[in-house]
PDB file of all heavy atoms in Angstrom:
ATOM      1  N   THR A   1      -1.112  22.014   9.606  1.00 61.00           N
ATOM      2  CA  THR A   1      -1.407  21.431   8.302  1.00 61.00           C
ATOM      3  C   THR A   1      -1.942  20.041   8.533  1.00 61.00           C
ATOM      4  O   THR A   1      -1.202  19.132   8.928  1.00 61.00           O
ATOM      5  CB  THR A   1      -0.149  21.362   7.416  1.00 61.00           C
ATOM      6  OG1 THR A   1       0.385  22.684   7.291  1.00 61.00           O
ATOM      7  CG2 THR A   1      -0.498  20.851   6.037  1.00 61.00           C
ATOM      8  N   ALA A   2      -3.229  19.853   8.317  1.00 49.00           N
ATOM      9  CA  ALA A   2      -3.851  18.550   8.556  1.00 49.00           C
ATOM     10  C   ALA A   2      -3.388  17.539   7.530  1.00 49.00           C
ATOM     11  O   ALA A   2      -3.100  17.870   6.384  1.00 49.00           O
ATOM     12  CB  ALA A   2      -5.367  18.677   8.503  1.00 49.00           C
ATOM     13  N   GLY A   3      -3.311  16.266   7.983  1.00 45.00           N
ATOM     14  CA  GLY A   3      -2.988  15.178   7.059  1.00 45.00           C
ATOM     15  C   GLY A   3      -1.585  15.252   6.507  1.00 45.00           C
ATOM     16  O   GLY A   3      -1.357  15.085   5.314  1.00 45.00           O
ATOM     17  N   ALA A   4      -0.603  15.529   7.379  1.00 47.00           N
ATOM     18  CA  ALA A   4       0.781  15.648   6.910  1.00 47.00           C
ATOM     19  C   ALA A   4       1.319  14.340   6.373  1.00 47.00           C
ATOM     20  O   ALA A   4       2.261  14.311   5.590  1.00 47.00           O
ATOM     21  CB  ALA A   4       1.671  16.156   8.054  1.00 47.00           C
ATOM     22  N   GLY A   5       0.731  13.213   6.803  1.00 44.00           N
ATOM     23  CA  GLY A   5       1.152  11.915   6.264  1.00 44.00           C
ATOM     24  C   GLY A   5       2.324  11.325   7.020  1.00 44.00           C
ATOM     25  O   GLY A   5       2.950  11.975   7.836  1.00 44.00           O
ATOM     26  N   THR A   6       2.604  10.057   6.745  1.00 46.00           N
ATOM     27  CA  THR A   6       3.691   9.359   7.419  1.00 46.00           C
ATOM     28  C   THR A   6       4.561   8.656   6.396  1.00 46.00           C
ATOM     29  O   THR A   6       4.163   8.422   5.265  1.00 46.00           O
ATOM     30  CB  THR A   6       3.151   8.309   8.402  1.00 46.00           C
ATOM     31  OG1 THR A   6       2.357   7.363   7.676  1.00 46.00           O
ATOM     32  CG2 THR A   6       2.288   8.967   9.469  1.00 46.00           C
ATOM     33  N   GLN A   7       5.771   8.312   6.834  1.00 45.00           N
ATOM     34  CA  GLN A   7       6.689   7.562   6.005  1.00 45.00           C
ATOM     35  C   GLN A   7       7.231   6.396   6.819  1.00 45.00           C
ATOM     36  O   GLN A   7       7.151   6.390   8.036  1.00 45.00           O
ATOM     37  CB  GLN A   7       7.863   8.451   5.558  1.00 45.00           C
ATOM     38  CG  GLN A   7       7.439   9.715   4.825  1.00 45.00           C
ATOM     39  CD  GLN A   7       8.613  10.635   4.628  1.00 45.00           C
ATOM     40  OE1 GLN A   7       9.758  10.213   4.566  1.00 45.00           O
ATOM     41  NE2 GLN A   7       8.326  11.922   4.532  1.00 45.00           N
ATOM     42  N   SER A   8       7.793   5.433   6.130  1.00 47.00           N
ATOM     43  CA  SER A   8       8.411   4.312   6.816  1.00 47.00           C
ATOM     44  C   SER A   8       9.795   4.709   7.289  1.00 47.00           C
ATOM     45  O   SER A   8      10.588   5.252   6.522  1.00 47.00           O
ATOM     46  CB  SER A   8       8.519   3.117   5.864  1.00 47.00           C
ATOM     47  OG  SER A   8       9.226   2.078   6.476  1.00 47.00           O
ATOM     48  N   PRO A   9      10.131   4.491   8.601  1.00 53.00           N
ATOM     49  CA  PRO A   9      11.450   4.879   9.090  1.00 53.00           C
ATOM     50  C   PRO A   9      12.556   3.946   8.599  1.00 53.00           C
ATOM     51  O   PRO A   9      13.353   4.308   7.749  1.00 53.00           O
ATOM     52  CB  PRO A   9      11.282   4.840  10.602  1.00 53.00           C
ATOM     53  CG  PRO A   9      10.154   3.914  10.844  1.00 53.00           C
ATOM     54  CD  PRO A   9       9.267   3.981   9.631  1.00 53.00           C
ATOM     55  N   MET A  10      12.612   2.724   9.133  1.00 43.00           N
ATOM     56  CA  MET A  10      13.565   1.702   8.721  1.00 43.00           C
ATOM     57  C   MET A  10      14.997   2.226   8.635  1.00 43.00           C
ATOM     58  O   MET A  10      15.741   1.921   7.724  1.00 43.00           O
ATOM     59  CB  MET A  10      13.149   1.121   7.368  1.00 43.00           C
ATOM     60  CG  MET A  10      11.833   0.379   7.403  1.00 43.00           C
ATOM     61  SD  MET A  10      11.824  -0.998   8.558  1.00 43.00           S
ATOM     62  CE  MET A  10      12.942  -2.125   7.728  1.00 43.00           C
ATOM     63  N   SER A  11      15.409   3.038   9.608  1.00 48.00           N
ATOM     64  CA  SER A  11      16.748   3.609   9.528  1.00 48.00           C
ATOM     65  C   SER A  11      17.662   3.180  10.667  1.00 48.00           C
ATOM     66  O   SER A  11      18.862   3.166  10.513  1.00 48.00           O
ATOM     67  CB  SER A  11      16.655   5.141   9.509  1.00 48.00           C
ATOM     68  OG  SER A  11      16.005   5.602  10.665  1.00 48.00           O
ATOM     69  N   SER A  12      17.105   2.833  11.826  1.00 53.00           N
ATOM     70  CA  SER A  12      17.945   2.489  12.958  1.00 53.00           C
ATOM     71  C   SER A  12      18.260   0.995  12.970  1.00 53.00           C
ATOM     72  O   SER A  12      17.582   0.195  12.341  1.00 53.00           O
ATOM     73  CB  SER A  12      17.245   2.873  14.272  1.00 53.00           C
ATOM     74  OG  SER A  12      16.158   2.009  14.511  1.00 53.00           O
ATOM     75  N   ARG A  13      19.294   0.644  13.721  1.00 52.00           N
ATOM     76  CA  ARG A  13      19.677  -0.770  13.829  1.00 52.00           C
ATOM     77  C   ARG A  13      18.536  -1.572  14.433  1.00 52.00           C
ATOM     78  O   ARG A  13      18.244  -2.687  14.007  1.00 52.00           O
ATOM     79  CB  ARG A  13      20.927  -0.891  14.710  1.00 52.00           C
ATOM     80  CG  ARG A  13      21.475  -2.314  14.792  1.00 52.00           C
ATOM     81  CD  ARG A  13      22.773  -2.335  15.564  1.00 52.00           C
ATOM     82  NE  ARG A  13      22.553  -2.313  16.989  1.00 52.00           N
ATOM     83  CZ  ARG A  13      22.490  -3.393  17.753  1.00 52.00           C
ATOM     84  NH1 ARG A  13      22.583  -4.596  17.214  1.00 52.00           N
ATOM     85  NH2 ARG A  13      22.333  -3.303  19.056  1.00 52.00           N
ATOM     86  N   ALA A  14      17.859  -0.999  15.454  1.00 57.00           N
ATOM     87  CA  ALA A  14      16.754  -1.703  16.094  1.00 57.00           C
ATOM     88  C   ALA A  14      15.622  -1.956  15.113  1.00 57.00           C
ATOM     89  O   ALA A  14      15.021  -3.026  15.099  1.00 57.00           O
ATOM     90  CB  ALA A  14      16.246  -0.895  17.288  1.00 57.00           C
ATOM     91  N   ASP A  15      15.306  -0.984  14.276  1.00 55.00           N
ATOM     92  CA  ASP A  15      14.246  -1.173  13.288  1.00 55.00           C
ATOM     93  C   ASP A  15      14.612  -2.259  12.291  1.00 55.00           C
ATOM     94  O   ASP A  15      13.795  -3.094  11.928  1.00 55.00           O
ATOM     95  CB  ASP A  15      13.990   0.137  12.518  1.00 55.00           C
ATOM     96  CG  ASP A  15      13.242   1.158  13.357  1.00 55.00           C
ATOM     97  OD1 ASP A  15      12.424   0.732  14.185  1.00 55.00           O
ATOM     98  OD2 ASP A  15      13.490   2.349  13.180  1.00 55.00           O
ATOM     99  N   ARG A  16      15.864  -2.244  11.818  1.00 49.00           N
ATOM    100  CA  ARG A  16      16.269  -3.246  10.833  1.00 49.00           C
ATOM    101  C   ARG A  16      16.246  -4.636  11.443  1.00 49.00           C
ATOM    102  O   ARG A  16      15.802  -5.597  10.818  1.00 49.00           O
ATOM    103  CB  ARG A  16      17.674  -2.918  10.306  1.00 49.00           C
ATOM    104  CG  ARG A  16      17.716  -1.665   9.445  1.00 49.00           C
ATOM    105  CD  ARG A  16      19.023  -1.583   8.692  1.00 49.00           C
ATOM    106  NE  ARG A  16      20.169  -1.533   9.581  1.00 49.00           N
ATOM    107  CZ  ARG A  16      20.681  -0.416  10.078  1.00 49.00           C
ATOM    108  NH1 ARG A  16      20.114   0.751   9.805  1.00 49.00           N
ATOM    109  NH2 ARG A  16      21.738  -0.427  10.870  1.00 49.00           N
ATOM    110  N   ALA A  17      16.707  -4.752  12.692  1.00 51.00           N
ATOM    111  CA  ALA A  17      16.750  -6.070  13.333  1.00 51.00           C
ATOM    112  C   ALA A  17      15.354  -6.613  13.572  1.00 51.00           C
ATOM    113  O   ALA A  17      15.107  -7.811  13.470  1.00 51.00           O
ATOM    114  CB  ALA A  17      17.504  -5.978  14.658  1.00 51.00           C
ATOM    115  N   ALA A  18      14.428  -5.709  13.888  1.00 51.00           N
ATOM    116  CA  ALA A  18      13.070  -6.142  14.185  1.00 51.00           C
ATOM    117  C   ALA A  18      12.212  -6.300  12.943  1.00 51.00           C
ATOM    118  O   ALA A  18      11.127  -6.874  13.014  1.00 51.00           O
ATOM    119  CB  ALA A  18      12.416  -5.133  15.129  1.00 51.00           C
ATOM    120  N   ALA A  19      12.670  -5.769  11.812  1.00 45.00           N
ATOM    121  CA  ALA A  19      11.925  -5.862  10.553  1.00 45.00           C
ATOM    122  C   ALA A  19      10.511  -5.328  10.708  1.00 45.00           C
ATOM    123  O   ALA A  19       9.521  -5.987  10.423  1.00 45.00           O
ATOM    124  CB  ALA A  19      11.895  -7.296  10.040  1.00 45.00           C
ATOM    125  N   VAL A  20      10.404  -4.100  11.213  1.00 42.00           N
ATOM    126  CA  VAL A  20       9.114  -3.475  11.464  1.00 42.00           C
ATOM    127  C   VAL A  20       8.392  -3.266  10.148  1.00 42.00           C
ATOM    128  O   VAL A  20       8.986  -2.897   9.149  1.00 42.00           O
ATOM    129  CB  VAL A  20       9.305  -2.117  12.174  1.00 42.00           C
ATOM    130  CG1 VAL A  20       7.961  -1.466  12.443  1.00 42.00           C
ATOM    131  CG2 VAL A  20      10.061  -2.307  13.469  1.00 42.00           C
ATOM    132  N   ASN A  21       7.071  -3.497  10.134  1.00 40.00           N
ATOM    133  CA  ASN A  21       6.269  -3.312   8.931  1.00 40.00           C
ATOM    134  C   ASN A  21       6.221  -1.862   8.511  1.00 40.00           C
ATOM    135  O   ASN A  21       6.344  -0.964   9.336  1.00 40.00           O
ATOM    136  CB  ASN A  21       4.833  -3.792   9.170  1.00 40.00           C
ATOM    137  CG  ASN A  21       4.749  -5.293   9.212  1.00 40.00           C
ATOM    138  OD1 ASN A  21       5.653  -5.979   8.766  1.00 40.00           O
ATOM    139  ND2 ASN A  21       3.660  -5.794   9.770  1.00 40.00           N
ATOM    140  N   SER A  22       6.013  -1.616   7.235  1.00 37.00           N
ATOM    141  CA  SER A  22       5.846  -0.269   6.711  1.00 37.00           C
ATOM    142  C   SER A  22       4.585   0.356   7.271  1.00 37.00           C
ATOM    143  O   SER A  22       3.517  -0.232   7.187  1.00 37.00           O
ATOM    144  CB  SER A  22       5.744  -0.301   5.182  1.00 37.00           C
ATOM    145  OG  SER A  22       5.221   0.915   4.706  1.00 37.00           O
ATOM    146  N   PRO A  23       4.667   1.580   7.859  1.00 41.00           N
ATOM    147  CA  PRO A  23       3.474   2.197   8.400  1.00 41.00           C
ATOM    148  C   PRO A  23       2.443   2.514   7.337  1.00 41.00           C
ATOM    149  O   PRO A  23       1.256   2.511   7.603  1.00 41.00           O
ATOM    150  CB  PRO A  23       3.992   3.486   9.059  1.00 41.00           C
ATOM    151  CG  PRO A  23       5.367   3.675   8.571  1.00 41.00           C
ATOM    152  CD  PRO A  23       5.880   2.346   8.124  1.00 41.00           C
ATOM    153  N   THR A  24       2.882   2.772   6.134  1.00 38.00           N
ATOM    154  CA  THR A  24       1.917   3.083   5.084  1.00 38.00           C
ATOM    155  C   THR A  24       1.028   1.886   4.804  1.00 38.00           C
ATOM    156  O   THR A  24      -0.189   1.995   4.690  1.00 38.00           O
ATOM    157  CB  THR A  24       2.653   3.485   3.792  1.00 38.00           C
ATOM    158  OG1 THR A  24       3.521   4.575   4.097  1.00 38.00           O
ATOM    159  CG2 THR A  24       1.669   3.916   2.731  1.00 38.00           C
ATOM    160  N   ARG A  25       1.623   0.663   4.729  1.00 33.00           N
ATOM    161  CA  ARG A  25       0.835  -0.522   4.482  1.00 33.00           C
ATOM    162  C   ARG A  25      -0.079  -0.811   5.661  1.00 33.00           C
ATOM    163  O   ARG A  25      -1.234  -1.163   5.507  1.00 33.00           O
ATOM    164  CB  ARG A  25       1.750  -1.727   4.256  1.00 33.00           C
ATOM    165  CG  ARG A  25       2.590  -1.650   3.005  1.00 33.00           C
ATOM    166  CD  ARG A  25       3.037  -3.052   2.604  1.00 33.00           C
ATOM    167  NE  ARG A  25       3.516  -3.825   3.719  1.00 33.00           N
ATOM    168  CZ  ARG A  25       4.786  -3.867   4.120  1.00 33.00           C
ATOM    169  NH1 ARG A  25       5.686  -3.145   3.528  1.00 33.00           N
ATOM    170  NH2 ARG A  25       5.140  -4.608   5.133  1.00 33.00           N
TER     171      ARG A  25
END
């Protein structure tokens, strides 16, 4: 299925600590 799309993870401790940008933006 082409173009399945992505979502922002922001669920792990490492992601929260690093404040990773939203992949959609």
Side-chain angles (χ1 to χ4, degrees):
T1 303
T6 60
Q7 304 170 27
S8 174
M10 295 301 291
S11 59
S12 71
R13 185 175 80 94
D15 286 327
R16 291 194 300 272
V20 180
N21 286 343
S22 164
T24 304
R25 294 201 315 269

